[in-house]
Amino acid sequence: MPKKINIIGSGFSSLAASCYLAQAGYEVNVFEKNTSVGGRARQFKKDGFTFDIGPTWYWMPDVFEKFFADFNRKTSDYYQLEKLDPAYQVYFDENDSILIPGSLNEIYQSFENEEAGSSQKLEKFITKARDNYDIAIKDLVYRPGISPMELITPETATRMGRFFTNISSEVRKEFTNKKLRKILEFPVLFLGAKPSDTPAFYSFMNYADFGLGTWHPKGGMYKVIEGMKDLAESLGVIFHLNASVDRIITEKGKAKGLVVNGKDHFADIVLSGADYHHSEQLLPEKLRQYSENYWKKKTFAPSSLLFYVGFDRKLKNVSHHTLFFDSDFEEHAKDIYDDPKWPDNPLFYASFPSITDETCAPEGKEAGIFLIPLAPDLKDDEATREHYFNIILDRFEKITGQNIKNNIIFKESFCVNDFKEAYNSYKGNAYGMANTLLQTAFLRPKLRSKKVEHLYFTGQLTVPGPGVPPSLISGKLAAGLIEKNEIK
């Protein structure tokens, strides 16, 4: 009889792990507390509009291709990709924006148009970023975070300095133009920390941005989730929805299964892709690896205030992905990381997938997603959400030169309280634990429990870190550890 594995949650990392484990011959059951699979990458539909609730950026297409190739499949077997051109647009003030083109050579020219001589500097910067990408994504991130020696390779030995300087200093010593600095510091925000706290090695995100480009799966990011679910089911994985896990069953220090909606589901191995902190709350306190004090000391990635808005007409002067950097980034960052509070003048991001994809909105209408990064665990209520919606809409109208408030058909919001309720997210964080120097690789929470045999973890709070591609890799790493340590 094949060994049974029960997986908690059905986000990217859990789905990836389920596929690898089923392929390896295990009997796999996935338990998801919500009504659909996907974890934070769920979908919201209303009045003919379709929104990705969670991730909206498709970067690092090679990681997705590599995942499906492990099962002799291609992404095109499950969804269709379109490369965005422009990749995105960045507003700095009224009628003052920079379009980031879809090709690297055009990006060099855009920089040169903004600041003479910057294209050569950017080419040098991207060459180093590509070097980091080749080391990180093709090698280091596929290591399970067990030992610091994983970081010591012939390639990294000559580049260790990149771990002890930060992205911000690397950018600012080469570029004087404030707009170009903001654009180059933007990608590491996906890693959940300030550029000044993110090792320079993570400039590989700039190569992911400029070198590999920004893509869109037709139908939205949820098409990737549906593809992974289809693959998992073809391999024999069984999914259980509306299945809230009450407790991890343990006996003599060994995981024995799950209590789901009050019913026992026994298994030989348990893997949790749910929030790591929450997962350990499902254990007796003596079997938890990390104390409350441990979690309180960690730097968490931001939470978010999100709005999903249906408009009754097409909007002007925006791109599929549009960033609004017209306020002070440093001040907003302080309100997230240094002195957590609701920001006075927040930066924000807007996505209009219906510009690219006609399936996301009825004909002649626009689907809009607005996001404000926030410190986790802020007091969250409807009045505050409405206040900030009005702030960003006022700025949006002024900056893009159009009135849109009277064109809103509906809006729905999602914020700190929802992250806690929907995903059991620690302090309502949206992206997991930040990738700072002291929270990288072996310094992150472990994939394998040190206190409970046959218990494993995956997802954005463990290795390799936050983001969709790292979550796919995390699922592969967790499955690999299980295969290595558990007899089938």
Side-chain angles (χ1 to χ4, degrees):
M1 289 288 290
K3 286 213 169 184
K4 291 185 177 180
I5 297 181
N6 286 348
I7 299 179
I8 307 173
S10 65
F12 279 107
S13 58
S14 291
L15 287 173
S18 74
C19 291
Y20 286 111
L21 291 166
Q23 184 186 54
Y26 293 95
E27 181 182 324
V28 183
N29 283 266
V30 176
F31 296 87
E32 168 57 55
K33 73 185 287 286
N34 292 306
T35 57
S36 60
V37 301
R40 297 169 196 241
R42 293 181 300 150
Q43 194 176 61
F44 165 57
K45 292 188 175 185
K46 185 173 182 177
D47 298 345
F49 292 84
T50 300
F51 304 88
D52 285 311
I53 291 178
T56 56
W57 292 78
Y58 192 103
W59 274 6
M60 303 185 190
D62 52 323
V63 174
F64 295 87
E65 289 289 356
K66 188 171 183 177
F67 167 75
F68 284 104
D70 284 341
F71 305 92
N72 296 313
R73 311 291 174 88
K74 302 186 296 292
T75 57
S76 58
D77 293 333
Y78 298 98
Y79 53 90
Q80 300 304 311
L81 285 173
E82 179 178 346
K83 190 174 186 182
L84 299 184
D85 190 3
Y88 55 91
Q89 183 174 5
V90 185
Y91 271 103
F92 300 96
D93 211 335
E94 192 173 349
N95 299 316
D96 181 12
S97 72
I98 294 177
L99 286 170
I100 302 301
S103 77
L104 190 51
N105 285 334
E106 290 179 288
I107 294 171
Y108 290 146
Q109 188 57 52
S110 293
F111 269 56
E112 189 67 24
N113 294 342
E114 188 66 33
E115 180 183 1
S118 62
S119 60
Q120 292 91 343
K121 293 178 181 178
L122 180 59
E123 191 169 357
K124 178 182 173 183
F125 183 84
I126 292 298
T127 297
K128 187 183 289 187
R130 182 190 290 114
D131 180 46
N132 289 344
Y133 190 90
D134 287 342
I135 297 168
I137 303 303
K138 295 178 181 178
D139 185 11
L140 292 185
V141 295
Y142 285 94
R143 302 187 180 203
I146 294 172
S147 163
M149 296 309 295
E150 293 174 3
L151 296 177
I152 310 300
T153 69
E155 290 79 14
T156 60
T158 58
R159 299 168 175 85
M160 289 305 291
R162 298 181 196 178
F163 287 95
F164 297 100
T165 57
N166 62 67
I167 286 284
S168 186
S169 64
E170 288 285 299
V171 168
R172 289 167 188 244
K173 75 181 180 184
E174 295 290 343
F175 299 89
T176 57
N177 184 285
K178 290 183 179 179
K179 297 177 189 177
L180 301 184
R181 285 177 172 179
K182 286 183 179 180
I183 290 171
L184 288 169
E185 290 179 348
F186 150 67
V188 300
L189 297 180
F190 286 102
L191 301 173
K194 292 190 293 185
S196 58
D197 290 335
T198 303
F201 183 74
Y202 285 104
S203 70
F204 65 73
M205 293 295 291
N206 293 99
Y207 178 69
D209 177 0
F210 289 173
L212 299 178
T214 302
W215 301 74
H216 174 72
K218 186 171 183 178
M221 289 291 286
Y222 197 70
K223 288 296 179 183
V224 186
I225 290 291
E226 290 179 334
M228 294 179 71
K229 178 176 182 283
D230 287 348
L231 172 60
E233 288 181 324
S234 74
L235 295 166
V237 177
I238 299 172
F239 289 89
H240 308 264
L241 303 179
N242 300 302
S244 183
V245 176
D246 306 315
R247 181 166 59 85
I248 297 172
I249 301 169
T250 59
E251 182 182 315
K252 297 179 180 179
K254 297 179 181 179
K256 292 291 185 178
L258 303 173
V259 178
V260 182
N261 295 333
K263 182 180 177 182
D264 292 349
H265 292 262
F266 292 102
D268 302 290
I269 301 156
V270 171
L271 169 63
S272 181
D275 177 275
Y276 205 122
H277 172 270
H278 168 73
S279 300
E280 289 220 310
Q281 302 305 301
L282 302 174
L283 294 164
E285 188 171 354
K286 66 180 180 180
L287 296 180
R288 299 171 192 168
Q289 304 168 91
Y290 305 107
S291 67
E292 288 300 306
N293 194 44
Y294 169 90
W295 294 111
K296 287 176 183 177
K297 289 180 178 180
K298 295 300 171 184
T299 301
F300 272 79
S303 187
S304 298
L305 170 55
L306 291 133
F307 297 99
Y308 311 98
V309 187
F311 294 96
D312 66 9
R313 67 172 175 87
K314 304 299 287 185
L315 303 189
K316 302 181 299 182
N317 304 326
V318 290
S319 298
H320 183 129
H321 296 298
T322 307
L323 302 162
F324 292 84
F325 285 176
D326 54 308
S327 62
D328 190 307
F329 173 80
E330 298 296 336
E331 288 304 312
H332 191 168
K334 287 178 184 176
D335 293 339
I336 295 173
Y337 298 103
D338 302 334
D339 180 22
K341 64 176 183 176
W342 282 92
D344 294 324
N345 194 22
L347 286 77
F348 67 98
Y349 153 68
S351 174
F352 304 98
S354 46
I355 289 175
T356 302
D357 188 343
E358 72 279 0
T359 69
C360 294
E363 186 176 356
K365 299 180 181 179
E366 204 86 272
I369 302 169
F370 297 83
L371 182 153
I372 302 172
L374 299 172
D377 218 24
L378 295 180
K379 182 182 178 182
D380 170 23
D381 56 54
E382 288 301 322
T384 303
R385 296 186 189 193
E386 190 67 21
H387 172 69
Y388 277 88
F389 184 71
N390 289 326
I391 286 177
I392 62 173
L393 230 59
D394 285 344
R395 280 169 48 197
F396 180 93
E397 289 186 329
K398 179 183 178 183
I399 289 168
T400 64
Q402 61 190 317
N403 296 318
I404 61 171
K405 289 179 183 175
N406 292 332
N407 299 105
I408 294 173
I409 302 171
F410 65 84
K411 77 171 189 296
E412 300 286 344
S413 64
F414 199 95
C415 197
V416 174
N417 291 347
D418 301 301
F419 280 102
K420 292 178 180 178
E421 190 280 327
Y423 313 126
N424 295 308
S425 171
Y426 181 70
K427 294 187 176 181
N429 80 83
Y431 307 109
M433 205 162 75
N435 259 348
T436 60
L437 178 61
L438 297 179
Q439 295 181 175
T440 292
F442 66 96
L443 295 173
R444 297 180 72 80
K446 301 301 182 185
L447 290 166
R448 185 184 186 189
S449 174
K450 296 176 287 187
K451 290 192 173 182
V452 181
E453 288 186 59
H454 316 310
L455 175 60
Y456 297 81
F457 302 86
T458 187
Q460 54 191 8
L461 268 73
T462 181
V463 293
V468 175
S471 291
L472 294 180
I473 295 167
S474 185
K476 181 174 185 174
L477 292 174
L481 270 189
I482 290 171
E483 288 185 62
K484 180 180 177 180
N485 294 304
E486 306 284 348
I487 300 172
K488 293 188 183 70

